[in-house]
Amino acid sequence: MIRVDGSSDSQSLIRVRGLNKTYSRGGEKIQVLQGLNLDVDKGDFVAFMGPSGSGKTTLLNLLGGLDVPSAGSITVAGDEITHMSGSKLTQWRARHVGFIFQMYNLIPVLTAYQNVELPLLLTKLSGSDRRKHVETALAVVGLADRMQHYPRQLSGGQEQRVTIARAIVSDPTFLLCDEPTGDLDRKSADEIMALIEELVNRYGKTVLMVTHDPVVAARAHTTLHLEKGLLVEGKGSSPQSVLAGGAA
Amino acid sequence: MKFRKLIFANLFRKKVRLILTVGSFAIALVLFTFLAVVKSAFNRGVELAGADRLIVVDRVGLMNLMPISYADKIAAIPGVKAVTHDHWFGGVYQDEKNFFPQFVIDVENHRKVYPEFVVPDDQWNNYVKDRQGAIAGAKLAERFHWKVGDRIPIKTTLYGGAIWEFNLDGIYHTEKPDGDQGQFWLQWKYFDENVPSVIKSTAGWYILRLDNPDDAVRVAKAIDEKFANSPHETKTETESAFAAYFAKQFGNIEFLILSIGGVVFFTLLLVTGNTMAISVRERTSELGVLKAIGFTDRSVLFLVLAESLAIAFFGGVLGLALAILAIPGISAAVTGLLPPLLLSKPMLLLGLGFAIFVGAASGLLPGIGAMRMRVVNALRRA
Ligand SMILES: Nc1ncnc2c1ncn2[C@@H]1O[C@H](COP(=O)(O)OP(=O)(O)OP(=O)(O)O)[C@@H](O)[C@H]1O
Ligand SMILES: [Mg+2]
């Protein structure tokens, strides 16, 4: 169950309360998030939409522990991450978050296999255990036969699938996707979305995704709109967000 | 090590750049070892100097000659075991570029003062009997393919410019392999008969051997006091002090070498530091991804440092290998001009240490930059 009114009493997996984020640029303060609330349960699949500059990436960065909020709290599986120190937060990310960005963000000098293995290098797993996990993750995304390929030898859709394999290989608590299909054609985008849906429906993953594309957003259980620093449910009420969504 | 693949993959990312950086390390290391070898060659005189030997020169300067009568007077001073004297002959063999030191020696006492120069007795006896005789160091003889019995013409530059001919009666070796085996000795008696009258009955400098090295200060003082207020006042010092002074005659070698070395060091530091800074900047978004998936700031610093250290290590080893191959050749080419150039193990270790230090120093700033980089900013630049 996904809620944005901050009224949930159940112990949700991700619980955001009064989240504020203010950037200062040359003395001028830009308030991007203004007291945002959010509850996401295990196995949920939520899409965030909103016009460019509305703070979608900012929100994902805060949820993923890549940045710290100006005020408010984020609790994931009972751990409050907003007060963690830098190195604690790094460890927390490694254990709980799988990232999938728009630009595939693979290391170009490593093979698909080696890219997917990276998060496991931070664990105590033995070499053969790592191999098992990497092979499974690549099989899930349908690239078992491309393990030794370098990113430049793969198509955009295949690269994005390697990124997904890298995000799920350490079995994180939830996945964060920032415009995962933003750089892909419709066919590849559909394949990636089918894969993400499979992760949710078959493997019970929790996924939070930012997208400009209403077709992509329609795959999620719920679509939330970011407006004036807050999340609102259902179809966007502001013409701006509809326009931005339709144009993508 | 789990990060090995990542470090090597990063290293070989830009092959041309890798070759250039490793190459600058190699060249710098060749230069570094060459300078170290030259410096040690100049210092070797000081290191090899006998602790029990004193040198007496004219107070006015090395080019001022002293009366030959000083020999007996010095020998009479208590604590002096033996005295001998030398002259600088300053000739050339065949051609100006064939420079090597020729000493006019006193055959009666030379061996008592310089036991480290070894000549077979039969050769020495022939030499003493032969007024036109000469002895050459083993390295020198090897350089000109001389053998005992050869007749060797030397053109003087100091004593009238004539050509003097000598019979090579013997070859000397040194006890230590790095000793000076490049000298040529002729006899003082023959020299004295043939030089212009102003030079007759003189010595260029005296060398004396002490009964006990602890007596050096007292004996030196006694000698200088003895000749005080005479037309030829003396200056007596230990052989090592003299060797150091003599090396300075070539200019301030130490300073020269240290300044060239300093320039090499800073250039290398800037070149590698710049390369590392560029490669970190190019990889900003990748480093951001690594941090996002849980690489700690410290492991990112480690990745950058490991890369610059690997460059330094490979470049350093390559440079030292080149130096090992090149230095004997350079040494042969400059025989006579410079003391023999010898590459020792401590020098190689020092060179490798130097390379690794530069590698660490040049990776440190870019590494700290990578460490401090905030993930969100790094990712926004993708
Ligand atoms: N480091 C920063 N310093 C200053 N302002 C920032 C910084 N990061 C983001 N902003 C500003 O915050 C606002 C929200 O940015 P954000 O990237 O979250 O938007 P977005 O919804 O992801 O946009 P897009 O759809 O274009 O990706 C923008 O006005 C942006 O300029
Ligand atoms: Mg964005």
Side-chain angles (χ1 to χ4, degrees):
Chain A
M1 187 56 189
I2 296 159
R3 307 185 64 127
V4 294
D5 53 8
S7 68
S8 167
D9 43 19
S10 68
Q11 269 305 84
S12 32
L13 179 71
I14 300 171
R15 187 186 170 93
V16 180
R17 289 293 175 271
L19 197 65
N20 265 298
K21 181 67 186 179
T22 310
Y23 292 111
S24 52
R25 200 162 33 191
E28 185 194 352
K29 291 223 184 287
I30 310 166
Q31 203 164 14
V32 181
L33 304 180
Q34 317 194 28
L36 181 146
N37 295 317
L38 175 67
D39 285 273
V40 177
D41 283 337
K42 186 167 168 13
D44 276 340
F45 179 12
V46 52
F48 298 115
M49 295 191 77
S52 183
S54 57
K56 304 180 295 297
T57 298
T58 302
L59 175 59
L60 279 202
N61 286 345
L62 293 173
L63 290 173
L66 296 176
D67 204 353
V68 285
S70 311
S73 69
I74 299 171
T75 311
V76 176
D79 295 329
E80 156 125 39
I81 64 164
T82 21
H83 296 301
M84 285 185 185
S85 69
S87 62
K88 264 230 94 184
L89 202 54
T90 306
Q91 281 176 7
W92 176 83
R93 279 202 303 271
R95 227 185 28 251
H96 294 287
V97 195
F99 289 99
I100 299 158
F101 305 102
Q102 173 178 7
M103 304 295 290
Y104 325 111
N105 282 307
L106 297 175
I107 309 290
V109 289
L110 296 181
T111 61
Y113 179 93
Q114 292 166 341
N115 267 289
V116 175
E117 191 186 21
L118 281 175
L120 299 183
L121 296 181
L122 304 167
T123 65
K124 291 199 175 74
L125 289 180
S126 70
S128 62
D129 280 346
R130 291 205 299 269
R131 168 160 287 274
K132 254 182 262 160
H133 283 80
V134 172
E135 284 173 356
T136 307
L138 281 167
V140 166
V141 301
L143 286 178
D145 55 340
R146 296 292 157 89
M147 288 199 285
Q148 299 312 323
H149 285 54
Y150 285 91
R152 63 171 186 287
Q153 299 168 323
L154 298 171
S155 72
Q158 288 171 332
E159 276 191 67
Q160 195 60 309
R161 282 196 265 161
V162 176
T163 310
I164 294 174
R166 186 180 68 192
I168 60 172
V169 73
S170 51
D171 194 21
T173 308
F174 62 106
L175 298 178
L176 293 177
C177 318
D178 197 348
E179 301 186 41
T181 58
D183 256 24
L184 302 176
D185 58 38
R186 173 59 59 199
K187 184 170 166 289
S188 307
D190 285 343
E191 284 169 15
I192 292 298
M193 286 322 298
L195 181 56
I196 291 176
E197 271 187 323
E198 192 186 341
L199 293 177
V200 175
N201 297 336
R202 189 157 150 212
Y203 297 95
K205 297 282 171 211
T206 309
V207 176
L208 290 82
M209 172 181 73
V210 164
T211 181
H212 275 123
D213 185 345
V215 178
V216 167
R219 302 253 198 167
H221 301 164
T222 314
T223 300
L224 298 177
H225 289 264
L226 200 50
E227 277 173 19
K228 301 193 186 78
L230 293 170
L231 287 170
V232 290
E233 262 172 294
K235 282 293 157 206
S237 51
S238 94
Q240 212 189 348
S241 69
V242 172
L243 243 172
Chain B
M1 222 240 314
K2 289 192 276 188
F3 296 150
R4 194 184 54 234
K5 272 185 230 153
L6 185 54
I7 292 165
F8 272 87
N10 279 332
L11 207 51
F12 289 101
R13 191 178 278 251
K14 295 259 159 94
K15 300 214 175 46
V16 174
R17 184 162 74 195
L18 176 68
I19 290 169
L20 291 178
T21 325
V22 167
S24 19
F25 258 97
I27 292 169
L29 257 279
V30 170
L31 198 54
F32 175 90
T33 30
F34 179 68
L35 291 175
V37 155
V38 170
K39 182 169 173 290
S40 101
F42 274 99
N43 285 341
R44 190 154 336 113
V46 181
E47 284 155 20
L48 288 176
D52 60 349
R53 278 197 294 256
L54 298 180
I55 311 276
V56 186
V57 297
D58 191 294
R59 184 156 282 279
V60 177
L62 202 50
M63 288 298 137
N64 270 48
L65 307 175
M66 290 173 289
I68 199 69
S69 58
Y70 278 21
D72 291 339
K73 292 178 186 159
I74 293 170
I77 288 172
V80 175
K81 190 188 232 168
V83 183
T84 190
H85 53 85
D86 271 359
H87 252 292
W88 182 253
F89 190 63
V92 292
Y93 171 64
Q94 288 171 341
D95 194 341
E96 294 282 339
K97 72 172 201 294
N98 292 335
F99 172 86
F100 53 86
Q102 301 115 28
F103 294 112
V104 179
I105 69 160
D106 149 36
V107 294
E108 271 133 58
N109 298 298
H110 190 266
R111 288 175 109 189
K112 289 180 210 152
V113 176
Y114 287 111
E116 70 264 40
F117 295 127
V118 184
V119 185
D121 280 338
D122 53 332
Q123 293 185 358
W124 181 260
N125 293 336
N126 287 341
Y127 168 59
V128 172
K129 276 181 254 154
D130 177 8
R131 280 192 326 124
Q132 288 187 34
I135 302 261
K139 289 260 166 66
L140 180 66
E142 190 186 319
R143 176 176 164 207
F144 294 115
H145 310 290
W146 291 338
K147 47 193 188 315
V148 172
D150 282 358
R151 207 158 162 77
I152 295 161
I154 307 270
K155 185 175 187 300
T156 72
T157 50
L158 294 177
Y159 310 108
I163 290 180
W164 296 39
E165 295 219 350
F166 300 97
N167 307 315
L168 191 64
D169 291 323
I171 309 277
Y172 79 82
H173 289 82
T174 52
E175 283 166 349
K176 288 188 197 158
D178 59 346
D180 182 357
Q181 303 190 19
Q183 303 178 9
F184 185 85
W185 303 337
L186 45 134
Q187 287 209 32
W188 182 79
K189 278 194 186 121
Y190 180 49
F191 172 80
D192 196 56
E193 281 165 20
N194 291 284
V195 286
S197 57
V198 285
I199 293 168
K200 280 190 202 295
S201 301
T202 61
W205 62 92
Y206 290 95
I207 310 97
L208 60 96
R209 194 153 167 221
L210 297 165
D211 285 323
N212 179 355
D214 298 339
D215 265 353
V217 175
R218 182 185 62 77
V219 173
K221 227 171 143 194
I223 294 170
D224 291 347
E225 272 167 13
K226 184 163 202 124
F227 301 114
N229 304 316
S230 77
H232 292 278
E233 295 199 337
T234 59
K235 187 171 88 176
T236 306
E237 52 194 356
T238 59
E239 191 174 41
S240 60
F242 180 76
Y245 165 80
F246 194 76
K248 283 220 180 75
Q249 305 271 300
F250 292 91
N252 196 339
I253 301 286
E254 190 111 348
F255 176 74
L256 196 70
I257 286 176
L258 286 179
S259 7
I260 299 176
V263 170
V264 172
F265 172 77
F266 280 107
T267 310
L268 190 60
L269 199 61
L270 292 180
V271 166
T272 335
N274 187 42
T275 308
M276 287 314 296
I278 290 174
S279 59
V280 165
R281 199 156 50 226
E282 282 172 354
R283 268 177 246 165
T284 300
S285 65
E286 288 173 33
L287 291 170
V289 171
L290 290 181
K291 286 188 175 192
I293 65 178
F295 278 65
T296 58
D297 291 348
R298 234 185 298 158
S299 49
V300 169
L301 170 67
F302 169 78
L303 288 178
V304 175
L305 274 183
E307 196 173 328
S308 66
L309 283 174
I311 292 175
F313 181 78
F314 292 126
V317 168
L318 181 66
L320 292 177
L322 288 176
I324 290 170
L325 293 178
I327 290 205
I330 298 174
S331 181
V334 297
T335 334
L337 287 176
L338 291 180
L341 306 177
L342 297 169
L343 196 52
S344 64
K345 218 180 250 159
M347 266 181 234
L348 292 176
L349 286 178
L350 187 71
L352 200 60
F354 164 83
I356 286 175
F357 177 73
V358 174
S362 58
L364 199 60
L365 277 184
I368 288 175
M371 191 171 123
R372 294 233 177 109
M373 196 161 64
R374 297 193 51 227
V375 191
V376 274
N377 298 337
L379 289 175
R380 273 185 197 277
R381 287 183 47 181

